[in-house]
Amino acid sequence: MPSVLARGAAPVTAAGLALALALAAAPPATASAGDVRVRVGVTGGPYTASVGLVVTGPRTVFGGFYCAANGLSATPLTALVDADEQYGLGGVQARWDAAKQDFVVTSIHGDAADDKKKWNAYVNEKKITAGPCHTAIKGGDKVRWTLEA
């Protein structure tokens, strides 16, 4: 029986395979001056994810609202929405809270908040105290959304 190489296939080196995998998983290039690269995780519900680098920045979200801390910076919510778009988290839903003048995340990948649990955002393992569109994040930050009581 002829070997794979005898049938004309080229051998794959470990370095070549590593390069191909790195290129396949690379995040898109930064598009705007305000864009940053962060890591995003989702925990607390049946769905758990930790994705690679997410390119995020100030942007319009849910229904045309502009989400940017201080009008200039990426936020935990833009990172979550961009992680969903870039890696397919299974959908993100939020509602506008007029009293807080910010969004409240209601569902990630179908894991819904309710009267007993809500989605909270953490940046570098510190729970945010301002709303998710009023909290600035910077390149290299770790953003985690956790469904908790």
Side-chain angles (χ1 to χ4, degrees):
M1 173 181 202
S3 73
V4 172
L5 291 176
R7 287 183 280 175
V12 176
T13 65
L17 181 58
L19 177 61
L21 290 173
L23 292 174
T30 301
S32 301
D35 285 355
V36 296
R37 291 180 176 171
V38 298
R39 299 220 178 257
V40 176
V42 176
T43 63
Y47 176 77
T48 299
S50 181
V51 299
L53 288 174
V54 174
V55 176
T56 190
R59 63 172 288 180
T60 301
V61 295
F62 312 110
F65 291 95
Y66 189 67
C67 183
N70 304 318
L72 302 170
S73 300
T75 70
L77 186 58
T78 61
L80 178 64
V81 170
D82 286 328
D84 184 41
E85 290 178 3
Q86 293 168 31
Y87 291 96
L89 298 181
V92 174
Q93 296 177 350
R95 68 173 170 76
W96 180 254
D97 185 321
K100 295 179 182 177
Q101 291 293 294
D102 210 332
F103 284 97
V104 174
V105 173
T106 57
S107 176
I108 301 172
H109 193 80
D111 295 340
D114 58 26
D115 294 339
K116 296 181 181 178
K117 54 190 174 184
K118 67 179 186 170
W119 284 104
N120 291 308
Y122 292 79
V123 176
N124 299 324
E125 299 306 320
K126 293 179 77 175
K127 187 174 180 179
I128 66 170
T129 56
C133 281
H134 290 100
T135 301
I137 59 175
K138 61 188 181 319
D141 281 349
K142 293 178 184 173
V143 177
R144 178 173 48 91
W145 284 86
T146 301
L147 186 61
E148 51 194 11

